[in-house]
Amino acid sequence: MRIIQHSVQYLFFILDLRRRGKVLQLSFTNFRKGSYLVVEGKNVNDRFYIIQRGHVSCLVSDFIAQPNAKILGPGDFVGVIPCMSRHAQIENVIALTDVVAITVQRDQYSELIAKNTPVAMKIIRTFANSMREMNEKLTRLTLKNTVSESTEQIFHVAEYYEKIKKPSIAAYAYYQYVKSSPDGAYLAAAKKRFMELRQKSRAVYFEPTADLIRFYPKDTMIFSECQRGAEMFIIQEGKVKITKVVNGEEVTLAVLKKGDMFGEMALIENKPRSASAVADEECRLMTVNRKNFDQMVSTQSQLITKLTTTLAERLWSMLRQLSNAQIPDPIYKLLDMLALQVEKARININTKTSYETGLSLQDLANMCGIPQEQQPVILIQLQKNPLIRLEKSKIIIPNCSDLVKNVTLSKQYHIKHQLK
């Protein structure tokens, strides 16, 4: 899979660093035609490769996620996402010719970017672009549709949350629509709905402030998809849900917790928000505006490393969700999504470990794009499954090993069945 691509000039830049004997010392690795550079599922993820010479084929064995091989050549990167996210390899990469590749160890990354901010930002921007593309693909596969990127989408987001009786979120979105569309087709309706909902909402920060720390009550909106923004956020306390709304249906893209950052794509790409962020619990967030971001990027290499790691983790998760989105059986789809949460939490599945996901049944169903009208019957069936239980409306996995093994066997069966 062509996860990330850089210019050949960047490749020459790295080679030049090595030739001049500077701090960064990168090694070369030779691969004969037909040999594997990386193997899907293997936990050899402490390095990535930059192809100097030759071509490789990249293919995910799980036909659901990626049916076609991608061809990479000089200047392309292999294994960046598993390396920076510290997850198992996500694809098989086979040398189509004899290949010479530069090996970059994970612990060399900070050293690489410390004095080469433009190079690091190029990596991050490419990650961000890949995320936006996967976001759109995931929405299309999960909800069988796409989302308009016009400001009218903000109005439809507001309508959805008003319909499901979340006035604080709806009020915020109506306000943002009025602000962004002074001549919009829904302007009068948005103004009216905002004035009515404002009185009973807890929405905060309709406009950006200079506050370094902001507090958001549960079920309030931090920003709406398609809204312009120039801030990113770091969660100090609480949980944030990243969502999209398509044709009156909501899909949960991620549930973020303390230490996670979000909203960085608006700063990196200077484009409208690709998804909404909602306080899933009472939240305390640190804000970083464009001025602070530029200063931090130029002086704090650890921020760039954190951003790279964060985006790599999300890309890895989205790849798993793309696979999940095309599973036809709803119960298997839900269990596979829970297995993904176990993988993200890095639970040791070699022991009989239990795990509290922090997700409700509805959260899980929304993450899988299960239509609202189908959720009651499907979720009742799921509750009968011995691989999960509920405590205080949250899903508990009693034995992560059993869950992952069950899902893995089911996936192997489906792949084998499909290939027949």
Side-chain angles (χ1 to χ4, degrees), residues 215-370:
F215 295 89
Y216 289 83
K218 177 179 169 61
D219 286 335
T220 58
M221 182 169 272
I222 301 159
F223 55 73
S224 170
E225 57 185 284
C226 298
Q227 176 187 343
R228 285 281 177 181
E231 297 171 318
M232 68 177 242
F233 301 86
I234 303 173
I235 303 174
Q236 305 292 298
E237 297 291 343
K239 291 196 303 183
V240 172
K241 190 159 60 173
I242 307 299
T243 68
K244 290 178 77 73
V245 174
V246 183
N247 289 344
E249 296 285 353
E250 179 188 54
V251 59
T252 301
L253 299 176
V255 179
L256 309 179
K257 58 185 183 306
K258 182 177 179 179
D260 289 334
M261 59 176 64
F262 62 97
E264 70 287 332
M265 288 176 66
L267 284 177
I268 296 168
E269 296 187 305
N270 194 28
K271 292 181 179 179
R273 307 286 189 181
S274 61
S276 299
V278 174
D280 202 37
E281 296 176 349
E282 183 175 304
C283 289
R284 180 164 64 96
L285 307 179
M286 177 187 293
T287 62
V288 179
N289 58 30
R290 190 173 301 281
K291 180 180 178 180
N292 292 338
F293 178 76
D294 291 341
Q295 182 179 8
M296 292 169 72
V297 163
S298 63
T299 59
Q300 300 183 37
S301 61
Q302 68 269 26
L303 174 67
I304 305 178
T305 301
K306 171 69 174 174
L307 266 176
T308 308
T309 301
T310 297
L311 294 177
E313 179 76 34
R314 290 184 193 165
L315 282 167
W316 174 86
S317 180
M318 282 183 171
L319 284 167
R320 280 285 282 104
Q321 284 184 267
L322 284 174
S323 173
N324 179 274
Q326 294 190 62
I327 295 174
D329 182 273
I331 299 299
Y332 169 39
K333 182 192 289 277
L334 294 167
L335 292 175
D336 180 70
M337 185 61 73
L338 287 174
L340 170 57
Q341 308 314 306
V342 171
E343 294 173 49
K344 289 170 65 175
R346 305 181 192 280
I347 303 296
N348 184 356
I349 62 169
N350 294 320
T351 60
K352 294 183 178 181
T353 306
S354 65
Y355 177 56
E356 182 177 348
T357 65
L359 299 174
S360 67
L361 289 169
Q362 187 174 19
D363 288 336
L364 182 64
N366 288 341
M367 291 177 79
C368 293
I370 305 293

Side-chain angles (χ1 to χ4, degrees), residues 193-205:
R193 301 307 304 143
F194 170 72
M195 295 303 295
E196 292 177 358
L197 293 175
R198 182 69 181 91
Q199 305 303 316
K200 52 184 177 181
S201 81
R202 297 183 296 159
V204 292
Y205 302 109

Side-chain angles (χ1 to χ4, degrees), residues 77-306:
F77 287 61
V78 172
V80 182
I81 291 177
C83 177
M84 299 308 298
S85 67
R86 298 174 184 262
H87 284 292
Q89 294 293 333
I90 57 177
E91 59 193 349
N92 293 303
V93 180
I94 305 172
L96 295 176
T97 64
D98 288 348
V99 170
V100 178
I102 301 170
T103 303
V104 182
Q105 299 290 335
R106 185 193 301 122
D107 57 10
Q108 291 178 311
Y109 186 75
S110 294
E111 189 179 356
L112 170 66
I113 66 175
K115 296 182 180 179
N116 300 288
T117 300
V119 172
M121 287 306 298
K122 188 170 186 179
I123 293 174
I124 290 173
R125 288 192 179 98
T126 307
F127 270 154
N129 183 62
S130 296
M131 273 190 61
R132 186 175 290 274
E133 291 176 357
M134 280 198 211
N135 229 339
E136 294 171 358
K137 187 173 183 179
L138 181 60
T139 301
R140 184 170 64 253
L141 290 174
T142 304
L143 296 179
K144 314 303 179 188
N145 210 324
T146 56
V147 177
S148 167
E149 292 188 353
S150 72
T151 54
E152 290 185 357
Q153 174 63 13
I154 305 177
F155 181 83
H156 297 312
V157 169
E159 281 188 314
Y160 170 79
Y161 284 109
E162 183 180 8
K163 177 183 175 182
I164 65 171
K165 304 188 185 307
K166 293 193 174 181
S168 298
I169 301 177
Y172 179 94
Y174 279 128
Y175 178 89
Q176 297 305 324
Y177 173 77
V178 171
K179 177 183 175 182
S180 61
S181 302
D183 300 316
Y186 304 109
L187 183 63
K191 284 183 176 179
K192 179 181 178 182
R193 301 307 304 143
F194 170 72
M195 295 303 295
E196 292 177 358
L197 293 175
R198 182 69 181 91
Q199 305 303 316
K200 52 184 177 181
S201 81
R202 297 183 296 159
V204 292
Y205 302 109
F206 289 98
E207 295 288 346
T209 71
D211 298 342
L212 177 63
I213 302 295
R214 296 184 191 169
F215 295 89
Y216 289 83
K218 177 179 169 61
D219 286 335
T220 58
M221 182 169 272
I222 301 159
F223 55 73
S224 170
E225 57 185 284
C226 298
Q227 176 187 343
R228 285 281 177 181
E231 297 171 318
M232 68 177 242
F233 301 86
I234 303 173
I235 303 174
Q236 305 292 298
E237 297 291 343
K239 291 196 303 183
V240 172
K241 190 159 60 173
I242 307 299
T243 68
K244 290 178 77 73
V245 174
V246 183
N247 289 344
E249 296 285 353
E250 179 188 54
V251 59
T252 301
L253 299 176
V255 179
L256 309 179
K257 58 185 183 306
K258 182 177 179 179
D260 289 334
M261 59 176 64
F262 62 97
E264 70 287 332
M265 288 176 66
L267 284 177
I268 296 168
E269 296 187 305
N270 194 28
K271 292 181 179 179
R273 307 286 189 181
S274 61
S276 299
V278 174
D280 202 37
E281 296 176 349
E282 183 175 304
C283 289
R284 180 164 64 96
L285 307 179
M286 177 187 293
T287 62
V288 179
N289 58 30
R290 190 173 301 281
K291 180 180 178 180
N292 292 338
F293 178 76
D294 291 341
Q295 182 179 8
M296 292 169 72
V297 163
S298 63
T299 59
Q300 300 183 37
S301 61
Q302 68 269 26
L303 174 67
I304 305 178
T305 301
K306 171 69 174 174

